[in-house]
Amino acid sequence: MEQTATPPAVNFEITPDQYQHWKLTIDGHVATLAIDVREDAGLRPNDYKLKLNSYDLGVDIELADILQRLRFEHPEVHAVVLTSLKPRIFCAGANIFMLGSSSHGFKVNFCKFTNETRLGMEDMSAHSSMKFLAAINGICAGGGYELALACDEILLVDDGTASVGLPETPLLGVLPGTGGLTRVVDKRKVRRDLADDFSTLTEGVRGKRAVEGRFVDATYPTSKFQEAVAKRAQELAAQSDRPASGPGITLGPLAPSIDGDVIQYKYVKGSIDRAKRTCELTISAPDSRQPQTAAEFLAAGDQAWAVRAFRELDDALLRLRLNEPEIGTVIVRAVGDPRAVLDVDAALDAHRGHWLVREIIGLMRRTLKRVDLTARSFFALIEPGNAFAGTLFELALAADRAYMIDHPDEGNTIRLSVMNAGSYPMSNGLSRLQVRFLGAPDTVGRVLAHDGPFTAREALDAGLVFSAPDDIDWDDEVRMAIEARAAFSPDALTGMEANLRFAGPETMETKIFGRLTAWQNWIFQRPNAVGEKGALMTYGREGRPSFDFKRT
Amino acid sequence: MEQTATPPAVNFEITPDQYQHWKLTIDGHVATLAIDVREDAGLRPNDYKLKLNSYDLGVDIELADILQRLRFEHPEVHAVVLTSLKPRIFCAGANIFMLGSSSHGFKVNFCKFTNETRLGMEDMSAHSSMKFLAAINGICAGGGYELALACDEILLVDDGTASVGLPETPLLGVLPGTGGLTRVVDKRKVRRDLADDFSTLTEGVRGKRAVEGRFVDATYPTSKFQEAVAKRAQELAAQSDRPASGPGITLGPLAPSIDGDVIQYKYVKGSIDRAKRTCELTISAPDSRQPQTAAEFLAAGDQAWAVRAFRELDDALLRLRLNEPEIGTVIVRAVGDPRAVLDVDAALDAHRGHWLVREIIGLMRRTLKRVDLTARSFFALIEPGNAFAGTLFELALAADRAYMIDHPDEGNTIRLSVMNAGSYPMSNGLSRLQVRFLGAPDTVGRVLAHDGPFTAREALDAGLVFSAPDDIDWDDEVRMAIEARAAFSPDALTGMEANLRFAGPETMETKIFGRLTAWQNWIFQRPNAVGEKGALMTYGREGRPSFDFKRT
């Protein structure tokens, strides 16, 4: 039914000199990010051409990289204008032929990454004091409009052809699944009947009608558009508290060494066991002096542990998701000196008002969210020599289970820090401790107030770990848990984890990954979309889709 | 891949003398509802046997009927004990062989109905002042435990065998999708790692361990169990403000006449056009004097329009869902004298403190939620002679779009009433007007304060209807909208509507129908569950499931 050709391994590292699809220009406090997709430069150029500024994962990897560099390398940028360099076309959305020729798992992970990138723009608006302005100067459809929806404001040229639209349902038999449906009614608060109509139009809406429906914020004739965009961008930039000038810090290559099934970064190591379908993912605490002041963070740049270790972790997670679909369980360890992690936490907390420290905390927050949203089982193993302290203990909290050995001879403790008290909210807006103790909210304050380390027994009693076997039981219990996990249906585990990890309130962000994505994934399985005569497969080819009209 | 045998048409009407699977006994203010499923009395007895108190849709239709009769016929019942008459088995959940031999659409609609029934129990607890106590006297697994989770409290006998568990993931490769995962972490607030472990056990947990994990509220040895259940049931009953004694009102048969593709109740008519794949659903306003006092509501019983019309509507929706999967669009009309509807609204509002009026409003609330959750497109047509006023205008608000003819000669108006101001919250806790005007919240108060009827032009300007074509454009616009809808992918429409209808906050209820159900439906499509070697298909047969271990 679906295409199952294995795509080439995806590399998420890229440098500005390699950009092919986006042009970044910085003028004072305003950056202009213009899309100009090279048709023949898709990740699988033999399978599809990226016409009409449509995108594939490679285009989005560039975008994510640019956004990351804007955060760290360009503190002088206070507002970003998104626009197109192609005449009469802003962006046609995700490339349909790419989707049609991708496996189910690739489609799902492609959508997840693009969703994370767009939510990252909203994260920049909320946390980094950088606002986004979509300057739509052509046809803006589907994923193109979803990109605009992720901006703070949307301006549309009124030239008789430029339009915004979500034609996925009528044209392709799928959803605008990169946040489109959710943002239309939940962010822009478009009335549901107008949203219903809008989402069934193939041609989108233009000019005043787009403003009246709240689909864009304003429209201007061609002669006044550039001026209006520039003016509004300056106004948005003026709201920022980012520094007036740089320097920022440069994000150099991570350059992991890959040897068979082992990937080794400086602080992160991933080691795959294909027979067990596990990945041992180990993150090391700092082993050298770390910055204590904002100036020292600036001087250390991308070599500060807080930056480097979490960039490495982020890269490892993305490679795992896209390139290693059969690896179902991630065994997480943090090793090294926990006091070194707590020292970093203290420095981050002391200087969180500084733009760079704010960005470093943001990098950690987004990387930890990436763990929450990774459809693999995570088991944290807490053993003597562990560095599960403060920020690194968030990895144990993000795990589906944490096992901590209660060793009679060797010390084995964990520690919390002030950074566990809300610096890294999950996508539902709560800290991982708050979600963990929804049923006993007083516990959050109590464990945070705990003086000093927790032994395994104390951690178990406090509810901070799942199990604390002694040294005699440890090997068997952990081994059996990992083996049992590997035997379950991977789909049931994905659904189970997506439900159990996100107790408590829902936000626009969780609605995108829960409600919207789950329905889209369902549709991505249905013959009406991906069958031989499904709408996603027949699009742009001869013949029309043929539907089984049974509703469910 | 999946079984597509068309099941026999389902009839949702049943009377107590027809019950085969449940025994209801009433002792003072406490009702005991005991499950004792007849193995050979499933809806498709040749396909499966209902062993171990497992259930199919027929068992659940009985349960839903009993609950409805408890509400209306037995006001003296203040608490309900759920237990089992079978030795050592409480309930094994939904029958696996039934699921395995059902079409995708049937599985989805079966789960939706069972979810609505269990949420109905929580609705009774919240609104009807009737509490539920699960008295688990045997093995209680999967859907059986999900039934217990819908109760206010769960007591478990500690006899060495009785247990609670959610073995769906390890045994069947699917989710506990009847609210199980959601209620464990969101209602009972079980810690996520304990919930994760619990949801991967095939054997469940017993006794004290079940209490410690918050999976049940208390456990008692066999010798003390009945006494503890009786005592707690009395305590729960004592909290109720339901009347000390009856009489209630008896719910007689609806007895619609069915003639080909037309179903005719007293106030509701459904007429199917198979070529267009539409159902014209018309509800009539009262045409006779309606109760003005609580005593008159009691005297009128099930013949009061408010009771009868909404029971009919509920029945029509359920038949449509299960028996008419290819009918994608519902064209809703309300006809008759709108003043008669407003008079009913005034009486309901004046006497909403009376137990029976409270139940009638609850019936309307739940039926309207059933509309929101029906995976068909709803278009309301508001034409001269319409009765879209007050409560009946909720049907227009629940519709994906409402079209109102702006007729130059014939009067055509709509009206709101006090009943639109929050008496019928959606499952997200907001009124339909609040959800509609999320982007302009002041509008809610303004339209409610509007004096008198809205003309088509006024309704359009106020944002109460989607479109108000004049008499010249009406036919074409409505016809084209209906034809366009019929041409879209039914799956994309289902996903689109499930996202656009529920803007705003999420609740446990919406998480069950959005997040949990959407993931379950996805899994119900996956070869790992429903393929030839999928876990749902191989269960209880020779051979073990064979999984494609790729995670998504």
Side-chain angles (χ1 to χ4, degrees):
Chain A
M1 197 162 79
E2 67 180 22
Q3 305 301 301
T4 51
T6 305
V10 181
N11 177 14
F12 290 85
E13 277 210 86
I14 190 169
T15 52
D17 58 297
Q18 298 170 317
Y19 295 162
Q20 302 188 82
H21 308 297
W22 297 87
K23 301 273 183 306
L24 178 71
T25 52
I26 297 175
D27 182 8
H29 295 313
V30 175
T32 298
L33 184 47
I35 184 166
D36 189 12
V37 175
R38 269 188 54 190
E39 283 189 18
D40 54 354
L43 287 186
R44 305 196 309 265
N46 294 330
D47 287 357
Y48 52 84
K49 300 274 175 227
L50 295 174
K51 294 188 179 176
L52 300 173
N53 271 353
S54 63
Y55 58 82
D56 70 354
L57 182 59
V59 176
D60 227 64
I61 287 173
E62 271 190 37
L63 175 61
D65 187 78
I66 292 167
L67 296 173
Q68 191 77 308
R69 291 181 195 278
L70 281 173
R71 290 182 180 106
F72 284 98
E73 301 186 352
H74 297 286
E76 78 281 8
V77 169
H78 299 182
V80 182
V81 175
L82 249 81
T83 193
S84 162
L85 287 180
K86 283 218 173 40
R88 286 180 300 286
I89 181 80
F90 180 86
C91 170
N95 186 277
I96 308 310
F97 304 100
M98 178 277 292
L99 287 174
S101 59
S102 295
S103 69
H104 181 70
F106 185 88
K107 276 200 279 287
V108 168
N109 275 292
F110 163 73
C111 291
K112 188 178 284 184
F113 182 78
T114 56
N115 266 316
E116 287 171 324
T117 305
R118 279 135 197 80
L119 284 159
M121 292 163 58
E122 289 169 329
D123 179 283
M124 287 167 81
S125 172
H127 295 291
S128 301
S129 204
M130 248 192 296
K131 300 294 169 188
F132 285 82
L133 180 65
I136 301 180
N137 54 350
I139 291 169
C140 176
Y145 180 52
E146 291 178 302
L147 185 61
L149 283 168
C151 295
D152 294 280
E153 294 183 16
I154 306 175
L155 306 186
L156 173 67
V157 70
D158 190 4
D159 66 354
T161 62
S163 63
V164 296
L166 293 175
E168 282 89 340
T169 292
L171 281 188
L172 307 169
V174 300
L175 302 183
T178 313
L181 292 177
T182 313
R183 283 196 180 86
V184 164
V185 292
D186 272 300
K187 180 180 183 179
R188 298 195 62 89
K189 297 183 166 54
V190 170
R191 234 174 58 207
R192 56 171 283 195
D193 52 350
L194 300 178
D196 179 282
D197 175 56
F198 179 71
S199 308
T200 58
L201 299 176
T202 53
E203 71 281 12
V205 297
R206 295 192 300 268
K208 274 186 198 164
R209 190 173 157 209
V211 179
E212 285 165 5
R214 305 172 77 111
F215 300 108
V216 306
D217 293 287
T219 184
Y220 298 93
T222 308
S223 60
K224 297 189 178 162
F225 186 65
Q226 288 309 329
E227 186 190 332
V229 168
K231 179 164 174 287
R232 189 62 195 139
Q234 290 298 338
E235 289 166 359
L236 291 173
Q239 298 170 13
S240 179
D241 64 5
R242 304 246 303 170
S245 61
I249 66 167
T250 302
L251 301 177
L254 299 175
S257 66
I258 299 176
D259 182 6
D261 287 335
V262 177
I263 185 164
Q264 175 79 59
Y265 303 82
K266 182 166 182 194
Y267 295 112
V268 171
K269 180 180 180 183
S271 179
I272 283 175
D273 183 326
R274 295 199 185 275
K276 293 182 181 165
R277 295 197 304 279
T278 60
C279 172
E280 304 210 15
L281 188 67
T282 304
I283 183 164
S284 297
D287 54 0
S288 61
R289 186 175 183 283
Q290 292 298 310
Q292 299 295 309
T293 65
E296 289 180 3
F297 272 113
L298 273 169
D302 69 340
Q303 295 308 305
W305 173 85
V307 177
R308 179 154 190 121
F310 278 78
R311 284 183 71 209
E312 292 175 357
L313 178 59
D314 205 37
D315 190 66
L317 289 169
L318 290 172
R319 287 171 184 262
L320 182 72
R321 282 188 189 170
L322 268 295
N323 300 338
E324 297 292 348
E326 298 217 354
I327 305 305
T329 308
V330 181
I331 297 160
V332 182
R333 288 187 181 86
V335 299
D337 182 358
R339 287 167 306 181
V341 180
L342 295 176
D343 286 348
V344 171
D345 280 10
L348 292 173
D349 184 49
H351 306 293
R352 61 169 69 236
H354 186 269
W355 78 266
L356 175 57
V357 177
R358 182 167 73 183
E359 291 308 327
I360 295 171
I361 294 172
L363 166 66
M364 293 166 145
R365 179 182 62 244
R366 288 189 306 278
T367 303
L368 289 163
K369 282 187 186 180
R370 195 99 82 184
V371 176
D372 300 329
L373 288 166
T374 295
R376 311 295 165 96
S377 302
F378 285 81
F379 285 179
L381 298 191
I382 308 176
E383 297 157 300
N386 89 76
F388 280 110
T391 293
L392 286 191
F393 191 69
E394 291 287 320
L395 286 170
L397 292 171
D400 297 296
R401 301 184 199 169
Y403 290 84
M404 183 169 183
I405 189 167
D406 184 10
H407 204 288
D409 308 319
E410 299 176 55
N412 190 33
T413 61
I414 57 165
R415 293 177 195 239
L416 300 180
S417 82
V418 62
M419 297 305 286
N420 301 114
S423 291
Y424 311 116
M426 296 177 59
S427 47
N428 64 8
L430 301 187
S431 73
R432 285 179 191 77
L433 282 176
Q434 285 176 315
V435 172
R436 186 171 188 85
F437 295 118
L438 270 184
D442 293 347
T443 307
V444 176
R446 197 157 58 240
V447 297
L448 285 168
H450 178 92
D451 197 20
F454 292 83
T455 64
R457 175 55 49 187
E458 288 169 339
L460 185 70
D461 290 346
L464 288 168
V465 298
F466 168 67
S467 178
D470 62 23
D471 55 327
I472 298 165
D473 292 335
W474 175 261
D475 282 350
D476 275 354
E477 180 169 336
V478 168
R479 179 182 51 76
M480 285 193 294
I482 292 168
E483 284 178 6
R485 198 75 167 193
F488 298 143
S489 157
D491 306 323
L493 288 177
T494 291
M496 186 184 98
E497 291 157 5
N499 281 278
L500 295 182
R501 290 178 184 172
F502 296 94
E506 299 256 352
T507 59
M508 190 188 74
E509 189 169 337
T510 63
K511 286 176 89 159
I512 288 173
F513 288 117
R515 181 179 282 272
L516 180 59
T517 294
W519 282 113
Q520 178 79 309
N521 292 355
W522 173 71
I523 291 167
F524 276 164
Q525 281 287 294
R526 300 282 287 165
N528 281 336
V530 298
E532 206 175 317
K533 296 195 166 181
L536 206 53
M537 306 307 288
T538 54
Y539 180 77
R541 295 190 171 87
E542 280 191 44
R544 290 176 49 79
S546 167
F547 293 133
D548 174 346
F549 280 106
K550 282 200 279 295
R551 289 286 289 246
T552 50
Chain B
M1 194 162 78
E2 67 179 19
Q3 305 300 302
T4 51
T6 305
V10 181
N11 177 14
F12 290 85
E13 277 210 87
I14 189 169
T15 53
D17 58 296
Q18 298 170 316
Y19 295 161
Q20 303 188 83
H21 308 296
W22 297 87
K23 301 274 185 304
L24 179 71
T25 53
I26 297 175
D27 181 9
H29 294 314
V30 175
T32 298
L33 184 48
I35 185 166
D36 189 12
V37 175
R38 269 189 55 191
E39 284 188 17
D40 55 351
L43 286 186
R44 305 196 310 266
N46 294 330
D47 288 355
Y48 52 85
K49 299 276 177 223
L50 295 173
K51 294 189 178 175
L52 301 173
N53 271 353
S54 63
Y55 57 84
D56 70 353
L57 182 60
V59 177
D60 227 66
I61 287 172
E62 270 190 39
L63 174 60
D65 187 77
I66 292 166
L67 296 172
Q68 190 78 306
R69 290 181 196 280
L70 282 173
R71 290 182 180 105
F72 284 98
E73 300 187 353
H74 298 286
E76 78 282 8
V77 169
H78 299 179
V80 182
V81 175
L82 248 81
T83 194
S84 162
L85 287 180
K86 285 221 171 34
R88 287 180 300 287
I89 181 79
F90 181 87
C91 170
N95 187 276
I96 310 309
F97 304 100
M98 177 278 292
L99 287 175
S101 60
S102 295
S103 70
H104 181 71
F106 186 88
K107 277 200 278 289
V108 169
N109 275 292
F110 163 73
C111 291
K112 188 178 283 183
F113 182 77
T114 57
N115 267 316
E116 287 170 324
T117 305
R118 279 137 197 80
L119 285 158
M121 291 163 58
E122 289 169 329
D123 179 283
M124 287 167 81
S125 172
H127 296 290
S128 300
S129 204
M130 246 192 295
K131 300 294 169 188
F132 285 82
L133 180 65
I136 301 180
N137 54 350
I139 291 169
C140 175
Y145 180 52
E146 292 178 301
L147 186 60
L149 283 168
C151 295
D152 294 279
E153 293 184 18
I154 307 175
L155 305 186
L156 173 67
V157 71
D158 189 4
D159 64 356
T161 61
S163 63
V164 297
L166 293 175
E168 282 89 340
T169 291
L171 282 188
L172 308 169
V174 300
L175 302 183
T178 314
L181 293 177
T182 312
R183 283 197 181 85
V184 164
V185 292
D186 272 300
K187 182 180 183 179
R188 298 195 61 88
K189 298 184 167 53
V190 171
R191 235 175 54 209
R192 54 171 281 194
D193 52 351
L194 302 177
D196 178 282
D197 175 56
F198 179 73
S199 308
T200 58
L201 300 175
T202 53
E203 71 281 11
V205 296
R206 295 192 299 269
K208 275 186 197 162
R209 188 172 159 209
V211 180
E212 285 165 7
R214 306 172 78 112
F215 300 109
V216 307
D217 293 286
T219 183
Y220 298 93
T222 309
S223 62
K224 297 188 178 162
F225 186 65
Q226 288 310 327
E227 187 190 330
V229 168
K231 180 164 172 288
R232 191 60 195 141
Q234 290 298 336
E235 289 167 0
L236 290 172
Q239 298 170 14
S240 178
D241 64 4
R242 303 245 304 170
S245 62
I249 67 168
T250 301
L251 301 177
L254 299 176
S257 66
I258 298 176
D259 182 5
D261 287 334
V262 177
I263 186 165
Q264 175 79 59
Y265 303 82
K266 182 166 182 194
Y267 295 112
V268 171
K269 180 180 180 182
S271 180
I272 283 174
D273 183 326
R274 296 200 182 275
K276 294 182 181 166
R277 295 196 305 279
T278 59
C279 172
E280 304 211 13
L281 188 66
T282 304
I283 184 164
S284 297
D287 53 1
S288 60
R289 187 178 183 281
Q290 292 299 310
Q292 299 295 309
T293 65
E296 289 180 6
F297 273 111
L298 273 169
D302 69 340
Q303 295 308 304
W305 173 85
V307 177
R308 180 153 191 120
F310 279 78
R311 285 183 71 210
E312 292 174 356
L313 178 58
D314 205 37
D315 189 67
L317 289 170
L318 290 172
R319 288 173 183 261
L320 182 71
R321 282 188 189 171
L322 268 296
N323 300 338
E324 296 293 348
E326 298 218 355
I327 305 306
T329 309
V330 181
I331 296 158
V332 183
R333 289 187 181 83
V335 300
D337 183 357
R339 288 167 305 181
V341 181
L342 295 176
D343 286 348
V344 171
D345 279 10
L348 293 172
D349 183 50
H351 306 292
R352 59 170 69 234
H354 186 269
W355 77 266
L356 175 57
V357 177
R358 182 167 73 182
E359 292 308 329
I360 295 170
I361 294 172
L363 165 66
M364 293 166 146
R365 179 181 61 245
R366 289 188 305 279
T367 303
L368 289 164
K369 282 187 185 179
R370 196 98 83 183
V371 176
D372 300 330
L373 287 166
T374 296
R376 311 295 167 97
S377 302
F378 286 80
F379 286 179
L381 298 191
I382 309 175
E383 297 157 299
N386 88 78
F388 281 109
T391 294
L392 287 191
F393 191 69
E394 291 288 319
L395 286 170
L397 292 171
D400 298 295
R401 302 184 199 167
Y403 290 84
M404 183 169 183
I405 189 167
D406 184 12
H407 204 289
D409 307 318
E410 300 176 55
N412 189 33
T413 61
I414 56 165
R415 292 177 197 238
L416 300 181
S417 83
V418 63
M419 298 305 285
N420 302 112
S423 292
Y424 311 116
M426 295 177 61
S427 46
N428 65 7
L430 301 186
S431 72
R432 286 179 189 77
L433 282 177
Q434 286 176 313
V435 172
R436 186 171 188 85
F437 295 118
L438 270 183
D442 293 349
T443 308
V444 175
R446 196 158 58 240
V447 296
L448 285 168
H450 178 93
D451 196 22
F454 291 84
T455 64
R457 176 54 50 184
E458 288 168 338
L460 185 70
D461 290 345
L464 288 168
V465 298
F466 168 68
S467 178
D470 64 21
D471 56 326
I472 297 165
D473 292 334
W474 173 262
D475 283 348
D476 275 353
E477 180 169 336
V478 168
R479 179 182 52 75
M480 285 192 295
I482 293 168
E483 284 178 5
R485 198 76 167 191
F488 298 142
S489 158
D491 306 324
L493 288 177
T494 291
M496 184 184 99
E497 290 156 7
N499 280 278
L500 296 182
R501 289 178 184 173
F502 295 95
E506 299 258 348
T507 60
M508 191 187 74
E509 188 168 336
T510 63
K511 285 176 90 158
I512 288 172
F513 289 118
R515 182 179 280 273
L516 180 61
T517 294
W519 282 112
Q520 179 80 308
N521 292 354
W522 173 71
I523 291 166
F524 276 164
Q525 280 287 293
R526 299 282 289 164
N528 282 336
V530 298
E532 206 176 315
K533 296 193 166 182
L536 206 54
M537 305 306 288
T538 55
Y539 180 78
R541 297 191 169 87
E542 281 191 42
R544 291 175 49 77
S546 168
F547 293 133
D548 174 346
F549 279 107
K550 282 199 279 296
R551 290 285 290 249
T552 50

